[in-house]
Amino acid sequence: MHLNALLTFLLVVSFSINAKPWRLCHEDKEYPPYLTNSVQNTQPEGLVIDVLSGAAKHANTPIAFVARPWKRCKQGVKNGTYDGLFVMLKTPKRTEQFAYPTNEQHYLSKVDYVILYKKGSPLHRAESNGKLFNEQGQFNFNYYKRIQEFGLQAPTGYVLHQFLKQHNVAANDNYDLDLGINQVAIGRLDGYVVEKRAGLKRVEALNKQGIVISSQGVLKRTYWYVPFNRDFYNKNKDDVARFWHQMQLSREQILAHD
């Protein structure tokens, strides 16, 4: 990964001689294997960085990565401080605020959001008995509410957090990923909703394997995108479309599960 980071840095530098790099904002938090070294004034690494760097190279587009708190990323792209941001889900409200690709294949990654729960917990037993997800694979909110104790949680401010609140199953307290996993492990939170790869990687890092496990069912299957500031997009439609197209090709090479 260090070699990829060096190549990305050289890529940005070489492009910047002739053109102003596009500034892509990402959250200043770690989400391995997708995003690591995610702090200000550093070169980020991870699978999504590899995809975007490959897309930039083949689209002949200079890019620079900027790490900020997620709310500042969104506001910065809205007001034009930054040109685009990642990773972001698509919602009707967000399509009004940002420019998303219209080609359904121009996403950054297809992702599964699962529930991390404690092994042997009521949720684990319910799924083992075929009651937590229905025959179509959909989460059974009505059954969960019958066994709910502490509720489910996802990172505050994310679409999945709002999703849980809308279904009245969100826990009263807000937890980041690490604290949420620990709360699940000690039986003080029913489950934590997170992208599967990132969640299991964090469980491993916290030495909670065999204690905190992933649901087999998927609470939400969706896509990550790289949307842009609307004015920037309108001024650079062809370049952005080429970048999105190359992002698809780069994704298909790097993210094997897609």
Side-chain angles (χ1 to χ4, degrees):
M1 196 68 72
H2 292 296
L3 177 59
N4 287 330
L6 176 60
L7 292 175
T8 301
F9 175 76
L10 294 175
L11 172 70
V12 171
V13 171
S14 63
F15 277 141
S16 64
I17 295 174
N18 300 312
K20 182 180 178 181
W22 295 358
R23 301 190 76 198
L24 302 183
C25 193
H26 60 88
E27 189 175 18
D28 57 350
K29 291 184 179 180
E30 302 275 309
Y31 291 102
Y34 297 105
L35 185 62
T36 61
N37 203 30
S38 181
V39 295
Q40 294 187 31
N41 303 318
T42 64
Q43 177 59 37
E45 302 174 357
L47 292 176
V48 296
I49 299 300
D50 294 345
V51 171
L52 295 175
S53 299
K57 176 182 178 181
H58 292 290
N60 197 30
T61 301
I63 58 173
F65 300 114
V66 182
R68 296 290 186 270
W70 189 231
K71 287 185 178 180
R72 287 181 60 187
C73 274
K74 290 188 289 185
Q75 186 57 44
V77 175
K78 287 179 188 177
N79 63 31
T81 301
Y82 313 119
D83 303 312
L85 73 166
F86 65 96
V87 296
M88 185 175 254
L89 304 186
K90 182 188 290 188
T91 67
K93 181 178 180 180
R94 287 177 173 178
T95 56
E96 296 176 359
Q97 300 171 331
F98 306 99
Y100 281 82
T102 56
N103 187 317
E104 63 180 16
Q105 293 301 314
H106 289 173
Y107 57 86
L108 178 57
S109 180
K110 179 170 62 178
V111 289
D112 288 343
Y113 283 85
V114 297
I115 306 172
L116 300 180
Y117 51 56
K118 187 175 183 179
K119 186 175 182 179
S121 67
L123 264 70
H124 186 195
R125 295 194 298 271
E127 182 167 27
S128 298
N129 293 329
K131 297 179 179 179
L132 199 59
F133 294 87
N134 63 26
E135 294 180 356
Q136 289 73 42
Q138 298 170 324
F139 185 72
N140 191 334
F141 282 99
N142 290 330
Y143 183 81
Y144 169 65
K145 288 175 182 179
R146 288 163 50 190
I147 63 173
Q148 179 177 346
E149 186 175 4
F150 297 101
L152 303 174
Q153 192 54 273
T156 306
Y158 284 43
V159 169
L160 268 295
H161 183 255
Q162 294 300 318
F163 178 74
L164 296 177
K165 291 182 66 176
Q166 290 169 2
H167 286 277
N168 298 313
V169 295
N172 292 327
D173 297 317
N174 295 322
Y175 304 113
D176 63 17
L177 180 56
D178 283 7
L179 184 54
I181 290 172
N182 282 311
Q183 291 295 97
V184 169
I186 63 175
R188 297 298 301 274
L189 182 66
D190 294 341
Y192 200 90
V193 178
V194 66
E195 192 281 327
K196 186 173 183 176
R197 274 191 179 184
L200 290 178
K201 194 75 173 179
R202 205 63 209 144
V203 168
E204 180 181 351
L206 295 172
N207 294 316
K208 301 298 182 184
Q209 310 101 305
I211 301 173
V212 176
I213 60 177
S214 167
S215 64
Q216 296 302 304
V218 175
L219 184 66
K220 191 173 184 68
R221 178 165 287 142
T222 186
Y223 299 90
W224 284 344
Y225 290 93
V226 183
F228 283 82
N229 169 275
R230 283 198 162 276
D231 289 337
F232 179 87
Y233 171 74
N234 288 331
K235 294 175 183 177
N236 302 274
K237 284 186 177 181
D238 291 342
D239 291 336
V240 173
R242 183 168 59 252
F243 175 76
W244 278 333
H245 174 67
Q246 291 298 332
M247 186 178 70
Q248 173 192 348
L249 301 180
S250 181
R251 179 198 79 223
E252 290 171 350
Q253 291 179 347
I254 294 171
L255 299 179
H257 68 292
D258 273 7

